[in-house]
Amino acid sequence: MSFPEVRLRRLRQSRAVRDLVRETSLEPRQLVLPLFVREGLTKPVAIGSMPGVAQHSIDSLRAVAVDAAEAGVGGVMLFGVPAVRDARGSGADDPRGILNVATEALAAEVGDALVVQTDLCLDEFTDHGHCGVLAADGSVDNDATLERYASMALAQARAGSQLLGLSGMMDGQVAVIRAALDAEGFTDTLLLAYAAKYASAFYGPFREAVDSQLTGDRRTYQLDPGNRREGVREAVVDAEEGADIVMVKPAMAFLDVLREVRDTVNIPVWAYQVSGEYAMIEAASANGWIDRRAAVLESLLSIRRAGADAVLTYWATEAARWLRD
Ligand code: PBG
Protein backbone atom coordinates (compact mmCIF):
# COMPACT_ATOMS: atom_id res chain seq x y z
CA MET A 1 0.00 0.00 0.00
CA SER A 2 1.25 3.45 -0.89
CA PHE A 3 -0.91 5.77 1.18
CA PRO A 4 0.62 7.38 4.29
CA GLU A 5 0.88 4.80 6.97
CA VAL A 6 -2.14 5.71 9.04
CA ARG A 7 -3.01 2.29 10.38
CA LEU A 8 -5.77 2.65 12.95
CA ARG A 9 -6.19 -1.10 13.14
CA ARG A 10 -2.79 -1.32 14.90
CA LEU A 11 -4.63 -0.44 18.11
CA ARG A 12 -7.12 -3.29 17.61
CA GLN A 13 -4.75 -6.14 16.71
CA SER A 14 -5.05 -8.25 19.85
CA ARG A 15 -7.10 -8.51 22.98
CA ALA A 16 -4.11 -7.39 25.04
CA VAL A 17 -3.64 -4.22 23.00
CA ARG A 18 -7.36 -3.48 23.00
CA ASP A 19 -7.50 -3.92 26.76
CA LEU A 20 -4.58 -1.55 27.18
CA VAL A 21 -6.07 1.25 25.08
CA ARG A 22 -9.74 1.00 26.04
CA GLU A 23 -10.89 4.50 27.09
CA THR A 24 -13.84 3.53 29.25
CA SER A 25 -13.94 1.14 32.18
CA LEU A 26 -16.84 -0.67 33.78
CA GLU A 27 -16.39 -1.80 37.36
CA PRO A 28 -18.74 -3.37 39.93
CA ARG A 29 -18.36 -0.37 42.24
CA GLN A 30 -19.95 1.83 39.54
CA LEU A 31 -23.20 -0.15 39.56
CA VAL A 32 -26.24 0.45 41.77
CA LEU A 33 -29.01 -2.14 42.11
CA PRO A 34 -32.63 -0.92 42.36
CA LEU A 35 -34.70 -3.15 44.68
CA PHE A 36 -38.43 -3.42 45.37
CA VAL A 37 -39.84 -4.34 48.76
CA ARG A 38 -43.57 -4.95 49.18
CA GLU A 39 -45.45 -4.76 52.43
CA GLY A 40 -46.96 -8.02 53.66
CA LEU A 41 -44.96 -10.44 51.53
CA THR A 42 -43.45 -13.58 53.06
CA LYS A 43 -41.69 -14.61 49.87
CA PRO A 44 -40.66 -12.80 46.66
CA VAL A 45 -43.18 -12.23 43.84
CA ALA A 46 -41.91 -12.18 40.26
CA ILE A 47 -42.58 -9.05 38.16
CA GLY A 48 -43.97 -10.26 34.82
CA SER A 49 -42.77 -7.27 32.81
CA MET A 50 -39.23 -7.53 34.22
CA PRO A 51 -38.12 -11.19 33.99
CA GLY A 52 -35.58 -11.93 36.72
CA VAL A 53 -36.70 -9.00 38.93
CA ALA A 54 -39.01 -9.47 41.93
CA GLN A 55 -40.90 -7.62 44.62
CA HIS A 56 -39.23 -8.70 47.85
CA SER A 57 -40.20 -9.56 51.38
CA ILE A 58 -37.96 -8.08 54.05
CA ASP A 59 -36.10 -11.39 54.33
CA SER A 60 -35.53 -11.92 50.61
CA LEU A 61 -34.54 -8.25 50.34
CA ARG A 62 -31.81 -8.78 52.90
CA ALA A 63 -30.55 -11.79 50.96
CA VAL A 64 -30.33 -10.03 47.59
CA ALA A 65 -28.63 -7.03 49.19
CA VAL A 66 -26.01 -9.28 50.78
CA ASP A 67 -25.53 -10.97 47.40
CA ALA A 68 -25.05 -7.56 45.74
CA ALA A 69 -22.51 -6.53 48.36
CA GLU A 70 -20.58 -9.77 47.90
CA ALA A 71 -20.48 -9.15 44.15
CA GLY A 72 -18.91 -5.73 44.80
CA VAL A 73 -21.89 -3.61 43.73
CA GLY A 74 -21.56 0.03 44.86
CA GLY A 75 -25.05 0.54 46.25
CA VAL A 76 -28.68 -0.50 46.40
CA MET A 77 -31.60 1.86 45.70
CA LEU A 78 -34.74 0.85 47.56
CA PHE A 79 -38.35 1.34 46.41
CA GLY A 80 -41.29 0.54 48.70
CA VAL A 81 -44.69 -0.84 47.74
CA PRO A 82 -47.19 -0.19 50.55
CA ALA A 83 -50.33 -2.26 51.25
CA VAL A 84 -52.48 0.84 51.76
CA ARG A 85 -52.37 4.18 49.92
CA ASP A 86 -54.00 7.56 50.48
CA ALA A 87 -54.12 11.01 48.87
CA ARG A 88 -51.12 12.41 50.77
CA GLY A 89 -48.99 9.28 50.74
CA SER A 90 -48.97 8.83 54.50
CA GLY A 91 -46.95 5.60 54.33
CA ALA A 92 -43.97 7.50 52.96
CA ASP A 93 -42.97 9.32 56.15
CA ASP A 94 -44.44 6.85 58.65
CA PRO A 95 -41.48 5.28 60.52
CA ARG A 96 -43.41 1.98 60.32
CA GLY A 97 -44.03 2.42 56.58
CA ILE A 98 -42.61 -0.39 54.45
CA LEU A 99 -39.85 1.67 52.85
CA ASN A 100 -38.55 2.95 56.18
CA VAL A 101 -38.77 -0.43 57.91
CA ALA A 102 -36.93 -2.09 55.02
CA THR A 103 -34.31 0.67 55.00
CA GLU A 104 -33.58 -0.03 58.67
CA ALA A 105 -33.14 -3.70 57.88
CA LEU A 106 -30.81 -3.01 54.95
CA ALA A 107 -28.75 -0.43 56.81
CA ALA A 108 -28.13 -2.99 59.54
CA GLU A 109 -27.40 -5.79 57.09
CA VAL A 110 -25.22 -4.17 54.40
CA GLY A 111 -24.80 -0.53 55.45
CA ASP A 112 -21.06 -0.97 55.95
CA ALA A 113 -20.45 -2.80 52.68
CA LEU A 114 -22.25 -0.57 50.17
CA VAL A 115 -24.28 2.65 50.03
CA VAL A 116 -27.88 2.10 51.14
CA GLN A 117 -30.11 4.44 49.12
CA THR A 118 -33.83 5.19 49.07
CA ASP A 119 -36.20 6.56 46.45
CA LEU A 120 -37.75 9.78 47.68
CA CYS A 121 -41.03 10.27 45.86
CA LEU A 122 -44.70 9.97 46.73
CA ASP A 123 -45.97 8.03 43.71
CA GLU A 124 -45.79 4.57 45.29
CA PHE A 125 -47.67 5.85 48.35
CA THR A 126 -50.48 7.96 46.86
CA ASP A 127 -53.83 6.49 45.81
CA HIS A 128 -53.78 8.66 42.65
CA GLY A 129 -50.25 7.59 41.75
CA HIS A 130 -48.79 11.07 41.24
CA CYS A 131 -45.37 12.02 42.59
CA GLY A 132 -46.88 14.79 44.72
CA VAL A 133 -50.06 15.82 46.49
CA LEU A 134 -52.90 17.30 44.46
CA ALA A 135 -54.46 20.77 44.60
CA ALA A 136 -58.24 21.19 44.59
CA ASP A 137 -58.25 21.43 40.79
CA GLY A 138 -56.46 18.08 40.47
CA SER A 139 -53.08 19.51 39.47
CA VAL A 140 -49.90 18.44 41.28
CA ASP A 141 -49.23 21.07 43.97
CA ASN A 142 -45.49 21.79 43.92
CA ASP A 143 -45.06 23.63 47.22
CA ALA A 144 -47.43 21.46 49.26
CA THR A 145 -45.48 18.45 47.96
CA LEU A 146 -42.18 19.94 49.18
CA GLU A 147 -43.44 19.78 52.78
CA ARG A 148 -44.24 16.10 52.33
CA TYR A 149 -40.79 15.48 50.79
CA ALA A 150 -39.04 17.18 53.71
CA SER A 151 -40.87 14.93 56.14
CA MET A 152 -40.13 11.87 54.01
CA ALA A 153 -36.45 12.80 53.89
CA LEU A 154 -36.23 12.93 57.66
CA ALA A 155 -37.99 9.57 58.02
CA GLN A 156 -35.58 7.97 55.54
CA ALA A 157 -32.50 9.50 57.14
CA ARG A 158 -33.67 8.35 60.58
CA ALA A 159 -34.18 4.85 59.18
CA GLY A 160 -30.54 4.82 58.10
CA SER A 161 -30.65 5.71 54.43
CA GLN A 162 -27.25 7.06 53.41
CA LEU A 163 -28.37 8.60 50.11
CA LEU A 164 -31.78 9.96 49.13
CA GLY A 165 -32.83 9.66 45.49
CA LEU A 166 -35.01 12.70 44.77
CA SER A 167 -37.10 11.47 41.85
CA GLY A 168 -40.23 13.60 42.08
CA MET A 169 -39.21 16.47 39.76
CA MET A 170 -40.72 19.20 41.99
CA ASP A 171 -39.08 22.63 41.78
CA GLY A 172 -37.01 23.46 44.84
CA GLN A 173 -36.95 19.90 46.19
CA VAL A 174 -33.18 19.72 46.61
CA ALA A 175 -32.91 22.99 48.57
CA VAL A 176 -35.89 22.22 50.81
CA ILE A 177 -34.75 18.69 51.62
CA ARG A 178 -31.13 19.76 52.25
CA ALA A 179 -32.32 22.43 54.68
CA ALA A 180 -34.66 20.01 56.49
CA LEU A 181 -31.89 17.40 56.88
CA ASP A 182 -29.27 19.89 58.03
CA ALA A 183 -31.64 21.37 60.63
CA GLU A 184 -31.95 17.91 62.21
CA GLY A 185 -28.23 17.19 62.09
CA PHE A 186 -28.28 14.89 59.03
CA THR A 187 -25.50 16.82 57.34
CA ASP A 188 -23.87 13.64 55.99
CA THR A 189 -26.95 12.30 54.19
CA LEU A 190 -26.20 12.41 50.46
CA LEU A 191 -28.64 13.84 47.93
CA LEU A 192 -28.95 12.39 44.45
CA ALA A 193 -31.16 14.62 42.31
CA TYR A 194 -32.99 12.99 39.41
CA ALA A 195 -32.27 16.22 37.64
CA ALA A 196 -33.00 15.37 34.04
CA LYS A 197 -35.86 12.91 34.41
CA TYR A 198 -37.89 12.64 31.25
CA ALA A 199 -41.57 11.71 30.87
CA SER A 200 -40.67 8.41 29.21
CA ALA A 201 -42.47 5.42 27.76
CA PHE A 202 -39.54 3.33 28.97
CA TYR A 203 -40.86 3.41 32.56
CA GLY A 204 -43.71 1.10 31.50
CA PRO A 205 -42.56 -2.13 33.19
CA PHE A 206 -41.75 -0.25 36.45
CA ARG A 207 -45.41 0.63 36.84
CA GLU A 208 -46.13 -3.07 37.38
CA ALA A 209 -43.16 -3.37 39.73
CA VAL A 210 -44.65 -0.79 42.11
CA ASP A 211 -48.37 -1.51 41.40
CA SER A 212 -48.69 2.07 40.17
CA GLN A 213 -52.13 3.66 40.57
CA LEU A 214 -51.43 6.34 37.95
CA THR A 215 -53.90 7.17 35.23
CA GLY A 216 -52.72 9.80 32.78
CA ASP A 217 -49.11 10.93 32.71
CA ARG A 218 -46.46 13.01 34.49
CA ARG A 219 -45.86 15.60 31.77
CA THR A 220 -46.49 18.61 34.02
CA TYR A 221 -43.41 17.74 36.08
CA GLN A 222 -41.16 15.34 34.16
CA LEU A 223 -39.22 16.68 31.16
CA ASP A 224 -40.37 16.60 27.55
CA PRO A 225 -38.20 14.06 25.67
CA GLY A 226 -37.57 16.64 22.96
CA ASN A 227 -35.64 18.96 25.25
CA ARG A 228 -31.91 18.67 25.80
CA ARG A 229 -31.10 22.20 26.95
CA GLU A 230 -33.84 22.04 29.55
CA GLY A 231 -32.37 18.80 30.93
CA VAL A 232 -28.96 20.44 31.32
CA ARG A 233 -30.60 23.44 32.99
CA GLU A 234 -32.30 21.14 35.52
CA ALA A 235 -28.93 19.62 36.39
CA VAL A 236 -27.32 23.04 36.85
CA VAL A 237 -30.15 24.26 39.10
CA ASP A 238 -30.08 21.07 41.20
CA ALA A 239 -26.32 21.36 41.64
CA GLU A 240 -26.75 24.99 42.76
CA GLU A 241 -29.46 23.92 45.23
CA GLY A 242 -26.98 21.55 46.84
CA ALA A 243 -27.33 18.19 45.13
CA ASP A 244 -24.26 15.99 45.72
CA ILE A 245 -24.93 13.96 42.58
CA VAL A 246 -27.22 14.54 39.59
CA MET A 247 -28.87 11.90 37.43
CA VAL A 248 -30.11 11.55 33.87
CA LYS A 249 -33.00 9.14 33.30
CA PRO A 250 -33.70 7.08 31.23
CA ALA A 251 -30.18 6.33 30.02
CA MET A 252 -30.01 4.86 26.52
CA ALA A 253 -32.49 7.17 24.78
CA PHE A 254 -30.87 10.22 26.45
CA LEU A 255 -27.11 9.65 26.05
CA ASP A 256 -26.70 13.08 24.44
CA VAL A 257 -28.20 14.74 27.52
CA LEU A 258 -25.94 12.63 29.72
CA ARG A 259 -22.83 13.76 27.86
CA GLU A 260 -23.82 17.40 27.99
CA VAL A 261 -24.63 17.26 31.70
CA ARG A 262 -21.28 15.55 32.36
CA ASP A 263 -19.49 18.35 30.49
CA THR A 264 -21.44 21.08 32.31
CA VAL A 265 -21.44 20.28 36.04
CA ASN A 266 -18.49 19.36 38.24
CA ILE A 267 -20.20 16.90 40.58
CA PRO A 268 -20.79 13.17 39.97
CA VAL A 269 -23.33 12.35 37.26
CA TRP A 270 -25.26 9.09 37.32
CA ALA A 271 -27.67 7.51 34.85
CA TYR A 272 -30.63 5.20 35.39
CA GLN A 273 -30.99 2.32 32.95
CA VAL A 274 -34.73 1.98 33.45
CA SER A 275 -37.20 -0.87 33.39
CA GLY A 276 -38.05 -0.54 29.69
CA GLU A 277 -34.38 -0.70 28.73
CA TYR A 278 -34.06 -3.83 30.84
CA ALA A 279 -37.21 -5.40 29.42
CA MET A 280 -36.18 -4.81 25.80
CA ILE A 281 -32.84 -6.58 26.15
CA GLU A 282 -34.39 -9.41 28.20
CA ALA A 283 -37.14 -9.93 25.64
CA ALA A 284 -34.77 -9.95 22.67
CA SER A 285 -32.46 -12.34 24.55
CA ALA A 286 -35.31 -14.67 25.45
CA ASN A 287 -36.16 -14.88 21.75
CA GLY A 288 -32.58 -15.71 20.86
CA TRP A 289 -32.26 -12.48 18.86
CA ILE A 290 -29.40 -11.00 20.84
CA ASP A 291 -26.45 -12.23 22.94
CA ARG A 292 -27.70 -11.32 26.40
CA ARG A 293 -24.44 -10.96 28.28
CA ALA A 294 -22.71 -9.04 25.49
CA ALA A 295 -25.69 -6.72 25.02
CA VAL A 296 -26.00 -5.99 28.74
CA LEU A 297 -22.29 -5.21 29.12
CA GLU A 298 -22.22 -3.10 25.95
CA SER A 299 -25.24 -1.10 27.11
CA LEU A 300 -23.59 -0.39 30.47
CA LEU A 301 -20.23 0.47 28.92
CA SER A 302 -21.96 2.85 26.50
CA ILE A 303 -23.76 4.64 29.35
CA ARG A 304 -20.40 5.03 31.09
CA ARG A 305 -18.79 6.28 27.87
CA ALA A 306 -21.54 8.88 27.44
CA GLY A 307 -20.54 10.31 30.81
CA ALA A 308 -22.11 8.41 33.69
CA ASP A 309 -19.86 7.98 36.72
CA ALA A 310 -22.23 5.29 37.99
CA VAL A 311 -25.27 3.48 36.60
CA LEU A 312 -28.46 2.27 38.23
CA THR A 313 -29.25 -1.05 36.57
CA TYR A 314 -31.37 -4.10 37.34
CA TRP A 315 -28.41 -6.20 36.14
CA ALA A 316 -26.01 -4.75 38.73
CA THR A 317 -25.24 -7.94 40.66
CA GLU A 318 -25.07 -10.20 37.62
CA ALA A 319 -22.96 -7.72 35.64
CA ALA A 320 -20.63 -7.27 38.63
CA ARG A 321 -20.02 -11.02 38.68
CA TRP A 322 -19.35 -11.09 34.92
CA LEU A 323 -16.87 -8.24 35.30
CA ARG A 324 -15.02 -10.11 38.04
CA ASP A 325 -14.76 -13.39 36.08
C1 PBG B 1 -40.93 7.53 40.37
C2 PBG B 1 -40.01 6.62 39.63
C3 PBG B 1 -40.25 5.99 38.40
C4 PBG B 1 -39.11 5.25 38.11
C5 PBG B 1 -38.23 5.44 39.15
N1 PBG B 1 -38.78 6.31 40.07
C6 PBG B 1 -41.46 5.93 37.58
C7 PBG B 1 -42.02 7.15 36.99
O1 PBG B 1 -41.46 8.24 37.06
O2 PBG B 1 -43.10 7.02 36.40
C8 PBG B 1 -38.92 4.41 36.89
C9 PBG B 1 -37.80 3.43 36.98
C10 PBG B 1 -37.81 2.41 35.91
O3 PBG B 1 -38.61 2.47 34.94
O4 PBG B 1 -36.99 1.48 36.00
N2 PBG B 1 -40.74 7.41 41.76
Side-chain angles (χ1 to χ4, degrees):
M1 291 190 200
S2 61
F3 55 77
E5 294 290 301
V6 180
R7 293 192 177 268
L8 297 170
R9 289 183 56 199
R10 199 178 289 127
L11 289 168
R12 304 171 203 153
Q13 62 185 282
S14 68
R15 178 172 178 164
V17 173
R18 291 192 298 273
D19 282 350
L20 196 55
V21 301
R22 187 170 305 115
E23 300 170 36
T24 309
S25 68
L26 184 60
E27 301 171 43
R29 69 178 180 89
Q30 298 158 339
L31 304 176
V32 175
L33 178 68
L35 289 170
F36 303 104
V37 61
R38 182 166 147 197
E39 189 169 5
L41 290 187
T42 50
K43 56 180 173 38
V45 174
I47 299 165
S49 54
M50 301 174 72
V53 180
Q55 294 178 329
H56 287 285
S57 66
I58 300 268
D59 284 344
S60 68
L61 182 77
R62 278 204 191 94
V64 292
V66 168
D67 192 39
E70 283 169 2
V73 164
V76 291
M77 172 63 79
L78 190 55
F79 293 88
V81 185
V84 181
R85 299 176 170 89
D86 62 20
R88 57 193 296 279
S90 301
D93 54 338
D94 181 344
R96 288 156 308 163
I98 181 62
L99 180 54
N100 299 319
V101 168
T103 300
E104 248 178 72
L106 279 194
E109 193 78 41
V110 292
D112 296 329
L114 46 66
V115 182
V116 173
Q117 320 178 14
T118 44
D119 181 60
L120 199 160
C121 192
L122 283 173
D123 64 317
E124 289 94 3
F125 298 95
T126 53
D127 53 12
H128 45 74
H130 273 295
C131 294
V133 292
L134 304 183
D137 65 359
S139 64
V140 176
D141 185 334
N142 192 89
D143 296 8
T145 299
L146 295 182
E147 290 176 33
R148 300 288 301 127
Y149 284 1
S151 175
M152 200 176 173
L154 289 174
Q156 294 185 353
R158 288 184 186 120
S161 177
Q162 299 161 353
L163 180 152
L164 313 185
L166 280 44
S167 67
M169 289 298 285
M170 294 300 128
D171 288 326
Q173 62 184 11
V174 178
V176 165
I177 289 170
R178 183 74 271 160
L181 290 170
D182 289 354
E184 293 291 317
F186 293 107
T187 51
D188 281 342
T189 306
L190 291 151
L191 296 185
L192 161 69
Y194 285 46
K197 179 175 183 181
Y198 287 86
S200 172
F202 293 103
Y203 304 148
F206 178 92
R207 303 270 160 96
E208 180 187 332
V210 298
D211 297 335
S212 174
Q213 307 297 304
L214 185 71
T215 52
D217 59 55
R218 307 194 194 284
R219 290 181 187 276
T220 69
Y221 41 106
Q222 296 181 349
L223 288 161
D224 187 306
N227 295 354
R228 184 177 58 175
R229 285 194 307 263
E230 197 181 346
V232 177
R233 188 174 176 210
E234 280 276 2
V236 169
V237 168
D238 284 352
E240 284 169 358
E241 283 186 30
D244 300 291
I245 304 161
V246 288
M247 179 125 85
V248 174
K249 175 186 179 186
M252 289 176 78
F254 297 88
L255 295 179
D256 57 328
V257 180
L258 181 54
R259 167 47 55 192
E260 198 159 331
V261 169
R262 177 59 292 165
D263 289 344
T264 304
V265 300
N266 57 10
I267 57 177
V269 177
W270 292 5
Y272 197 141
Q273 184 180 51
V274 302
S275 57
E277 302 177 62
Y278 177 87
M280 285 193 296
I281 292 179
E282 286 295 334
S285 304
N287 277 296
W289 296 337
I290 200 168
D291 176 338
R292 181 171 178 274
R293 175 173 164 157
V296 168
L297 289 174
E298 183 179 321
S299 70
L300 292 169
L301 186 69
S302 299
I303 294 164
R304 287 262 309 130
R305 190 198 63 239
D309 298 295
V311 186
L312 274 76
T313 174
Y314 299 99
W315 289 299
T317 302
E318 195 177 9
R321 292 230 156 82
W322 290 337
L323 292 168
R324 287 191 157 185
D325 291 346

